[in-house]
Amino acid sequence: MSLSRISVFLVFYFILGFATARNLEFTTFFDDESCFDDEYFDHMSLQCTACPANQTAVEDPYTCTCVPGFKVVGDGPDLKCEPCPPLQVTSSDKRSCVPCYESFSFNDTLKECQPCSESYIMTDKSLNGTSLGSMECIECTNDTVPGDRVCVPCHTSFYAASGGSCMCPNTHVQLGGICTPLSDLAKIPDKKSCYTVKYENGESVQSLFFEKNYRVAAHSCAFSQNKSACQLLSNMCVLLHYDFSDEFNACEYYREKFGDNFVNLPDFVPWLYYTEGEANVYLTKSRLKTHYSFNKDNPNSKFNFTVAKYSAEGHFLKYGLLEDVLTLCPLIDFQLHAAVQFGTTFSQSCSINVKDLWNKYATEFYDVFLQYYDDEEHMIYAIPVLNRNYKEDDSLVNRQDQKKWQLTRRFFLFDNISGKESLSPNTKDKKKRARVVRYAQSIEIIVQLREGEGDGLIYPPLIKITYGEIGDEDYESNKMVETNLKVLYTMNFSKIREDISIAVGVVSAFATVWSLIGAWRWSRRCGKAGLDLPTILNFLVIVCGNLSNVFFLVMFFACFYLTIFFKRQDVVHLFILIDSQETLIKQILTAACFLKLVQVIHIVYVQVTLDMFIIDWEQPRAKNSIPHPQLLNSPEEEEKLKGEQPISIWRTYFIANEWNELQTYRKIDLGCQLFLTLLFLKVIGFENLAAADPNSSLSVNNGNYNSPQSYVCRFAISMSVYVIIVAVQWIFRVVFYERYVDNKLQQIIDLCSIANISIFILEHKMYGYYIHGRSAHGYADVDMQCIYEQMKREEEDLCGHRGLEPSSECQTFEVSITYKFREQYDTILQPVRGFAGIRNPGGRGKMRSVEMEQSFQAHETMKRFFGMFLQHALKDLDYIVKEKFFLESILDVEFQQADDRCVFFRDNNHAFDRVLFYGHEISFILFEMLLFTFVDVVAYDFVLAALVTYIFSYLMKKVRNTGGRKNVVHKTLVDQRFLI
C-alpha cells in the first residue's frame, strides 16, 4: 500500500472516529422509567440503550435478559440468546431448554408452559439443584402452600384452625392470606363506607387498598394483637384524614376498639388522636427543659427532630433524624439541615411533576419526636400534628379557633394508593392507578417561645399540614404542583399587640390634643367666630397628619427594637414576628400612608390658593421726554404724569419668577435620596440583614440556605437606612451648604432689598407673612455702578438698615391682620376676582380688554394701599411690631389679638417658608417614606418602591408648580407670559 493511500485511510478513520465519539459534556436526559421494554438504562452513560436481539429489560430495567423461549449462551459482552427447540421452554436458570411436563401444555404464543394446578408448583430443579429434565408440576404437602418455585409453610392461623394442615375449615374464611374465624369476623363491620375514600374535589373511590387490607388488619390487630396489622389499620385511618364523623370506617373502628385518645391505649396500637378540645393544654405544656441557643457552637443550637417511618402496609422502615428520614422533594431535602437550626426561619418550596406523584413517590407514614434531656435523662417528646384537612360534620375545624382543634400524631406526604379503584380501571388509559392522588401542599413546623420562664425554653412544637389533590385527568398534562416546608418561630403576640396598642393609643391622644390646638390656631388665623363645618374638616385633616406621624414613629421604633434585640441577643428572650403577626404592623403603616396623603394634598391645596402681592417701592425719579405707550390714548393721565418716568415692571416680574422657582425647593434631593437608599439596600447588601435569621450578614451565602426576609426587619432596616441618608442630606444642606454656599431663602430676601420690592403673603384669611424688601437707598432702578455703590455704602454702614423698623435688620414677619384690613384688601381685588392674571391681549393694534384695564387699576391701587399702610399713612389701618411670647412660639399660635391694629411679629427664622415645600420638608419626607413602605408591603420590592415614590413625588411637584404659577399670576396680577 502506498504512503498516500495510508494517509487517506488514517484521515478517514480519524474523521469517522470523531463523528461517532460520545459527547460527555452534554446529552439528552433519560431516566429508567422512560426506557421501553426492549431497552435498559445504562448507569454509565445515563441513557436508554437498546437490548441485543432476543433480549428484554422487563424484569430488571438496568440489565437485559433473554426473552421467554430463548436460552443464554456465552458470558459477559459475548452473552447471546439462542432460541430453544420446538415445544421447549427456558429453564429456571435461563442457561438451557427443557420440555414441559406434558407436550400439550406448551403455550406457543407465550413460549411458556401452562400453569400448574392451585396446590402445585412448577420447577425444573430438585432441591439440590439437579435437573429434572423437564418442567414438572410438584404437589405441595398439606402443611405447605405454593410459593415461588418452592413449597412454603402457610400462615400459622391455618394450622390453628385445621389442626396442623394448610386447610381453612368452613368455620373460617381465608382473608388476606390469613384463616380468620367467621365468628370473629362478624364483629368487624363489612360496609361500603369501610372501603370508600372521599376526596375534597367531590369524588368518592371504592378503594382497592382498603378492600384488601381493612378487615384483615382490623381482625389481626384487635384479635391477634399483631403490631404490623395495627400499624396498617392506623395508616388507613390517616389516609381518611382521621375522619370518623361519617358512616363506619377504619377511624371509627379504631376509636371504638381502642379509644378516642392515647389514654389507656394498648401498647400494640399506634397513637393517633389527642384528647378532643384540649389542644391548648398540649401546646402549652412545659415539659421540655432544653435551653436552646442561637450560638452555633452550642450543642442546643439545633433541634433533634427524630422520625419513625412506616410503609403503607404497616412495616417499620427507618428511624432517625428528620433531615435524614423525611423525603419531600430533592430541593427541600437537600437543605433540611437548615430547617432544624434553632431560630432560623425556614421556608422552601419546590415544584413536582404530577406524573411523579403517581410513579416516583411511595406512600409512607411518619411519626415525629423531639429528643431532649430531663435531668440528664435522654428522652423523646411526641410532636403533635394539625391536619388542616380534618373535618368534623363537614366543617374544617382545624382551620378555625384553636379551642376547636383536633390534634393527631401520624401523617403522610404522598398518597397514590387509596385512590386505586377495586372494580375496574377508570383512568383514561385504562391502567391500574389512582384516580386521585394527594400530596402535602404545605407543611409548617411552629415553634413557640416560653416567655418569662427562662432563656431559650420552648413549648412543644406543632406540625401543621395542608394537603392538596390532583385528579387523573391531569396525569398527561405535565402540570406542576408546588409543595413547601416552613419552620416558623413565634412567641405570644398578645403582649406585643397590647404594648403596640397602648403606645398607639397614648401618642394618638397627644396627637389629637395637638390637632385640637392646630384646629384652634387655624380658626383664629381664618377669623372664625365659632365652630363650623370648615373648622371640623380642617381638624380632621390635621388629625390625619398627626396620627400618620405617630403611627409611623411607633411602628418604626417597635420594629427597630424587635430587630436589634432579635439579631443581637446572646440569651434567647424573643423571636421575630411571623407573617400573620406582622399583619397588624402592615395595616397600621398602610393607614399611616393614606392619612399622610390627605395631609400632603391639603398642604398643596393651601399653597396653590393663598393670597399674595408683590409691592414695588420704587418712585418716579426722572422726567420722561418720550411719551409712554400707556398714555397715548389718555391725554388726562399723560398731562397728570407729565415729566415723571414710569416705573419699570421688570423688577416685579423678576421677583415673581424667582418666587415661582422657589415654590418646590426642598432641603432633600429625592433622586439622590432614593439612589443612595437602593445603593445601600440592594448593592451593598443591607437588605440581606432583614433575613429572619439571627446570624444574617450583608452577603448572600451562595450554596447554603438563606432565610426568607422578615417584614419587621425589612421595614426597620430600610427605614433606618432612609432616615440616616435623610439626616446626612439635611445636616449637609443646613450646616454647610446653606451657610457657606447657597441659601435660597436668604437670597430671595436680599434680592427683594436690592430690587426695592416687598412681598405680602396671606396663608389664611387673617394670617400671613411679610418680607420687607424696601431698599435702604430709596430706589433700585439704577445702573450697575450705582448698585455697587449702594452695596458698598451698606457694608460701610453709611445708610439706613434694611429692616422695617428704624435701626433694625429684621425683614421677615408673621402678620396677623384685622377684619378691616381684610375687607379693604378684598374690595380692591373684587373687580378682578376670577381673572387668571393679565392675559394675552389678542392681536396687535386692537383695543385692550376690560379685564386688563381692571387688572392694571387693581394692581396700582393695591400697590398704593400697601405702600401707605406700611408707612403708617392710613388713619384707620395701622400696625404694630411685636415679639411673640415664648408660649406662642412653642405652640405656633397667636394669643395677642389684632383688634384695631394689625400685628407684625418679628421672625428671623424665615417662617414664610411654610408657604413653600421647604417649610413642610418633614411632612414630605414622612409621606415619601410611608409611600415607599406601602409599595414594599404590597410588592416586596425596593426598586419598585423607589420608582413609584419618585414618580408620585414628581407628579406632586408638577401639580404644585403648575398650580403655584397660576396662583402667582392670579393673585399678584402679573402677566403670565413673563413667568418662565
Side-chain angles (χ1 to χ4, degrees):
M1 184 182 296
S2 66
L3 182 61
S4 60
R5 294 183 63 189
I6 293 176
S7 301
V8 171
F9 175 78
L10 291 176
V11 170
F12 174 78
Y13 182 80
F14 173 76
I15 294 175
L16 180 63
F18 180 79
T20 59
R22 180 159 56 97
N23 192 330
L24 300 179
E25 183 178 2
F26 56 87
T27 185
T28 305
F29 170 78
F30 288 94
D31 59 16
D32 54 359
E33 293 188 1
S34 61
C35 300
F36 295 104
D37 290 346
D38 59 349
E39 295 177 332
Y40 72 98
F41 187 75
D42 185 358
H43 60 79
M44 183 64 69
S45 65
L46 304 179
Q47 301 289 301
C48 290
T49 306
C51 290
N54 304 319
Q55 296 187 29
T56 181
V58 173
E59 296 181 6
D60 184 353
Y62 302 104
T63 186
C64 295
T65 57
C66 294
V67 298
F70 286 76
K71 64 178 180 179
V72 175
V73 177
D75 193 11
D78 299 325
L79 185 146
K80 296 180 180 179
C81 294
E82 293 185 356
C84 291
L87 302 179
Q88 291 192 13
V89 297
T90 308
S91 63
S92 57
D93 61 5
K94 300 185 181 297
R95 293 192 173 275
S96 61
C97 297
V98 293
C100 292
Y101 55 91
E102 293 178 353
S103 59
F104 66 84
S105 65
F106 177 76
N107 188 325
D108 188 52
T109 302
L110 300 177
K111 304 298 182 182
E112 294 177 347
C113 298
Q114 297 286 356
C116 297
S117 301
E118 183 177 348
S119 59
Y120 288 76
I121 63 170
M122 183 184 294
T123 182
D124 63 328
K125 303 284 186 182
S126 62
L127 290 177
N128 60 5
T130 303
S131 176
L132 298 177
S134 65
M135 282 291 181
E136 300 288 343
C137 287
I138 300 176
E139 184 178 10
C140 294
T141 61
N142 62 354
D143 60 346
T144 61
V145 292
D148 184 16
R149 296 182 182 273
V150 66
C151 295
V152 296
C154 57
H155 193 269
T156 55
S157 61
F158 287 85
Y159 295 118
S162 61
S165 69
C166 285
M167 296 294 295
C168 195
N170 294 333
T171 57
H172 294 64
V173 65
Q174 184 174 343
L175 185 64
I178 298 176
C179 188
T180 308
L182 290 173
S183 58
D184 292 346
L185 202 59
K187 300 176 183 179
I188 302 175
D190 184 15
K191 298 182 178 181
K192 182 180 179 181
S193 60
C194 298
Y195 317 113
T196 302
V197 180
K198 296 181 179 180
Y199 297 94
E200 294 185 358
N201 62 4
E203 288 199 53
S204 294
V205 173
Q206 199 73 8
S207 175
L208 176 63
F209 179 77
F210 278 72
E211 283 199 354
K212 290 175 58 177
N213 297 295
Y214 165 63
R215 300 193 79 200
V216 64
H219 176 270
S220 297
C221 178
F223 294 94
S224 302
Q225 299 185 4
N226 183 290
K227 293 185 177 180
S228 293
C230 291
Q231 296 283 4
L232 175 56
L233 178 66
S234 300
N235 292 345
M236 286 188 282
C237 181
V238 176
L239 289 174
L240 295 172
H241 289 320
Y242 296 92
D243 182 19
F244 60 89
S245 59
D246 205 344
E247 299 181 51
F248 200 93
N249 57 19
C251 293
E252 187 69 34
Y253 184 82
Y254 174 95
R255 293 168 65 89
E256 182 182 281
K257 198 70 179 177
F258 308 114
D260 59 1
N261 57 61
F262 65 93
V263 180
N264 299 321
L265 191 70
D267 58 4
F268 58 88
V269 179
W271 171 18
L272 292 185
Y273 293 92
Y274 284 79
T275 306
E276 292 183 23
E278 296 190 4
N280 286 332
V281 175
Y282 294 108
L283 295 178
T284 55
K285 287 184 176 293
S286 57
R287 183 63 186 270
L288 298 175
K289 305 297 183 182
T290 304
H291 293 261
Y292 290 96
S293 172
F294 290 160
N295 187 354
K296 291 186 177 182
D297 297 329
N298 191 309
N300 293 327
S301 63
K302 283 189 175 183
F303 284 119
N304 289 321
F305 285 120
T306 304
V307 178
K309 181 165 71 172
Y310 302 89
S311 68
E313 292 74 21
H315 302 303
F316 178 77
L317 297 178
K318 196 173 183 180
Y319 184 67
L321 295 178
L322 178 142
E323 56 267 36
D324 299 327
V325 176
L326 194 69
T327 303
L328 192 57
C329 66
L331 178 61
I332 295 179
D333 297 344
F334 178 72
Q335 296 183 333
L336 280 179
H337 65 281
V340 297
Q341 185 69 42
F342 181 72
T344 299
T345 299
F346 183 89
S347 180
Q348 191 73 328
S349 62
C350 67
S351 297
I352 302 175
N353 191 296
V354 294
K355 190 177 290 188
D356 293 340
L357 297 178
W358 275 272
N359 301 329
K360 281 193 174 183
Y361 293 98
T363 303
E364 296 170 336
F365 297 82
Y366 303 88
D367 290 336
V368 182
F369 304 86
L370 178 62
Q371 297 184 38
Y372 73 102
Y373 283 90
D374 188 357
D375 296 331
E376 305 299 327
E377 185 177 1
H378 198 175
M379 305 184 71
I380 58 172
Y381 192 94
I383 304 301
V385 174
L386 187 75
N387 185 331
R388 301 186 77 240
N389 295 71
Y390 170 80
K391 290 183 178 181
E392 283 186 13
D393 300 324
D394 293 327
S395 177
L396 294 168
V397 296
N398 284 349
R399 302 189 186 188
Q400 300 176 18
D401 186 77
Q402 184 173 332
K403 295 178 181 179
K404 298 182 179 181
W405 285 359
Q406 173 62 66
L407 300 180
T408 53
R409 277 287 298 130
R410 183 167 294 189
F411 65 92
F412 63 90
L413 298 179
F414 304 97
D415 168 26
N416 50 27
I417 59 173
S418 68
K420 292 182 179 179
E421 291 186 292
S422 60
L423 300 176
S424 61
N426 196 27
T427 57
K428 290 183 179 180
D429 54 5
K430 300 302 179 184
K431 290 186 177 180
K432 274 283 187 181
R433 64 168 179 264
R435 282 175 53 189
V436 179
V437 296
R438 294 182 289 194
Y439 64 98
Q441 191 176 51
S442 173
I443 303 176
E444 294 181 0
I445 302 177
I446 311 295
V447 180
Q448 183 173 353
L449 187 69
R450 279 160 53 189
E451 300 172 72
E453 297 186 36
D455 54 289
L457 291 174
I458 64 171
Y459 292 115
L462 173 67
I463 300 176
K464 290 184 179 181
I465 301 182
T466 304
Y467 291 97
E469 296 177 353
I470 198 78
D472 176 76
E473 63 274 7
D474 294 314
Y475 182 79
E476 298 291 349
S477 66
N478 288 325
K479 182 179 177 181
M480 307 296 288
V481 295
E482 187 172 276
T483 181
N484 63 76
L485 173 65
K486 294 181 180 180
V487 181
L488 304 176
Y489 295 84
T490 182
M491 56 184 176
N492 186 3
F493 185 59
S494 59
K495 181 65 168 62
I496 298 176
R497 180 188 291 272
E498 181 182 354
D499 291 343
I500 290 177
S501 300
I502 292 174
V504 170
V506 171
V507 296
S508 295
F510 283 108
T512 304
V513 172
W514 185 253
S515 300
L516 288 172
I517 297 174
W520 178 59
R521 174 200 311 131
W522 179 86
S523 66
R524 287 177 61 87
R525 290 177 175 178
C526 290
K528 300 290 182 180
L531 186 64
D532 56 3
L533 182 60
T535 304
I536 295 175
L537 293 177
N538 189 267
F539 168 72
L540 294 177
V541 170
I542 297 173
V543 166
C544 287
N546 290 334
L547 288 181
S548 175
N549 297 341
V550 299
F551 286 173
F552 174 81
L553 292 176
V554 171
M555 292 304 101
F556 173 73
F557 285 114
C559 292
F560 187 79
Y561 168 84
L562 291 172
T563 300
I564 294 299
F565 275 81
F566 172 71
K567 297 286 185 179
R568 302 303 302 168
Q569 60 185 336
D570 295 325
V571 178
V572 181
H573 290 292
L574 62 83
F575 289 146
I576 205 67
L577 302 186
I578 60 176
D579 290 344
S580 59
Q581 296 171 341
E582 291 174 341
T583 303
L584 175 64
I585 294 175
K586 293 179 181 179
Q587 290 173 343
I588 293 177
L589 289 173
T590 301
C593 179
F594 286 98
L595 291 174
K596 182 58 70 173
L597 176 61
V598 172
Q599 183 192 23
V600 167
I601 292 174
H602 181 257
I603 290 173
V604 174
Y605 172 77
V606 170
Q607 291 187 359
V608 299
T609 57
L610 55 80
D611 294 313
M612 67 177 299
F613 190 77
I614 299 176
I615 307 163
D616 189 352
W617 293 101
E618 197 76 6
Q619 300 296 325
R621 293 183 296 106
K623 291 184 178 181
N624 184 19
S625 59
I626 302 176
H628 194 276
Q630 275 186 320
L631 308 179
L632 291 178
N633 298 319
S634 180
E636 295 82 3
E637 292 293 328
E638 183 176 357
E639 183 65 25
K640 181 178 178 181
L641 298 175
K642 188 176 181 180
E644 294 184 352
Q645 174 71 34
I647 301 169
S648 172
I649 195 65
W650 290 109
R651 289 173 297 101
T652 301
Y653 285 162
F654 179 65
I655 294 298
N657 271 285
E658 291 302 312
W659 179 264
N660 187 53
E661 293 177 4
L662 199 62
Q663 293 188 87
T664 55
Y665 176 69
R666 292 180 55 182
K667 294 184 178 75
I668 302 302
D669 186 309
L670 183 61
C672 177
Q673 173 70 33
L674 295 174
F675 172 78
L676 291 176
T677 300
L678 291 180
L679 176 67
F680 279 94
L681 290 176
K682 302 292 292 185
V683 180
I684 297 178
F686 278 81
E687 177 187 31
N688 298 322
L689 294 176
D693 181 348
N695 301 307
S696 53
S697 62
L698 290 176
S699 59
V700 176
N701 296 320
N702 295 324
N704 295 326
Y705 173 76
N706 295 283
S707 297
Q709 292 188 358
S710 161
Y711 184 77
V712 168
C713 299
R714 185 179 176 89
F715 170 68
I717 291 172
S718 62
M719 289 300 100
S720 296
V721 170
Y722 201 105
V723 168
I724 290 173
I725 296 174
V726 164
V728 171
Q729 281 206 73
W730 191 300
I731 293 172
F732 173 78
R733 175 79 67 176
V734 173
V735 175
F736 175 76
Y737 188 81
E738 290 185 350
R739 178 172 293 186
Y740 300 107
V741 180
D742 185 16
N743 188 333
K744 290 188 178 296
L745 294 184
Q746 186 59 47
Q747 282 182 351
I748 192 71
I749 298 172
D750 294 338
L751 193 60
C752 286
S753 295
I754 295 174
N756 200 19
I757 282 177
S758 296
I759 303 176
F760 195 88
I761 306 164
L762 288 176
E763 184 180 13
H764 305 294
K765 184 177 180 180
M766 311 297 293
Y767 173 84
Y769 310 95
Y770 174 62
I771 302 175
H772 184 65
R774 187 171 187 178
S775 174
H777 310 282
Y779 53 91
D781 199 359
V782 296
D783 58 15
M784 184 182 297
Q785 181 178 356
C786 290
I787 287 288
Y788 283 128
E789 290 178 355
Q790 289 177 358
M791 295 177 65
K792 186 176 180 181
R793 287 171 60 84
E794 285 193 59
E795 290 177 2
E796 297 175 353
D797 199 16
L798 298 177
C799 62
H801 296 282
R802 291 184 176 182
L804 177 63
E805 302 170 281
S807 303
S808 172
E809 293 289 345
C810 183
Q811 294 180 259
T812 58
F813 301 86
E814 296 179 59
V815 179
S816 179
I817 64 176
T818 62
Y819 288 99
K820 195 171 183 179
F821 181 95
R822 184 71 202 196
E823 289 174 2
Q824 185 67 30
Y825 181 88
D826 291 337
T827 300
I828 297 172
L829 293 179
Q830 185 62 38
V832 294
R833 292 293 186 187
F835 292 0
I838 299 178
R839 302 176 184 177
N840 194 323
R844 185 175 300 176
K846 293 184 179 181
M847 295 291 292
R848 296 181 178 88
S849 67
V850 175
E851 292 181 2
M852 291 185 64
E853 290 290 346
Q854 292 177 342
S855 296
F856 296 150
Q857 293 174 9
H859 183 272
E860 290 299 319
T861 303
M862 185 65 75
K863 185 172 70 170
R864 288 196 297 269
F865 166 70
F866 272 111
M868 297 175 68
F869 168 74
L870 292 170
Q871 296 181 88
H872 303 281
L874 296 176
K875 181 179 180 181
D876 297 330
L877 288 175
D878 202 0
Y879 67 91
I880 58 173
V881 180
K882 289 185 177 181
E883 292 282 351
K884 267 193 172 184
F885 298 146
F886 176 75
L887 189 59
E888 287 181 316
S889 300
I890 295 296
L891 299 179
D892 188 26
V893 69
E894 297 77 37
F895 297 132
Q896 304 174 67
Q897 293 283 357
D899 295 325
D900 54 347
R901 290 187 296 178
C902 300
V903 180
F904 280 46
F905 297 101
R906 299 184 188 91
D907 171 48
N908 291 313
N909 296 320
H910 303 160
F912 69 89
D913 63 10
R914 285 182 288 196
V915 300
L916 311 171
F917 271 11
Y918 189 93
H920 294 276
E921 188 67 52
I922 294 179
S923 295
F924 286 108
I925 289 173
L926 284 175
F927 170 70
E928 287 154 0
M929 293 171 70
L930 285 167
L931 180 59
F932 185 94
T933 299
F934 171 71
V935 177
D936 189 51
V937 166
V938 175
Y940 236 66
D941 188 337
F942 285 138
V943 176
L944 179 62
L947 181 62
V948 171
T949 303
Y950 184 83
I951 292 175
F952 194 93
S953 298
Y954 173 80
L955 293 176
M956 184 173 60
K957 183 177 179 180
K958 198 74 174 176
V959 170
R960 175 65 178 86
N961 274 329
T962 303
R965 182 176 185 275
K966 290 181 178 179
N967 189 61
V968 169
V969 170
H970 177 59
K971 299 298 176 60
T972 62
L973 304 177
V974 299
D975 195 327
Q976 61 183 349
R977 293 169 294 175
F978 295 99
L979 279 186
I980 301 173

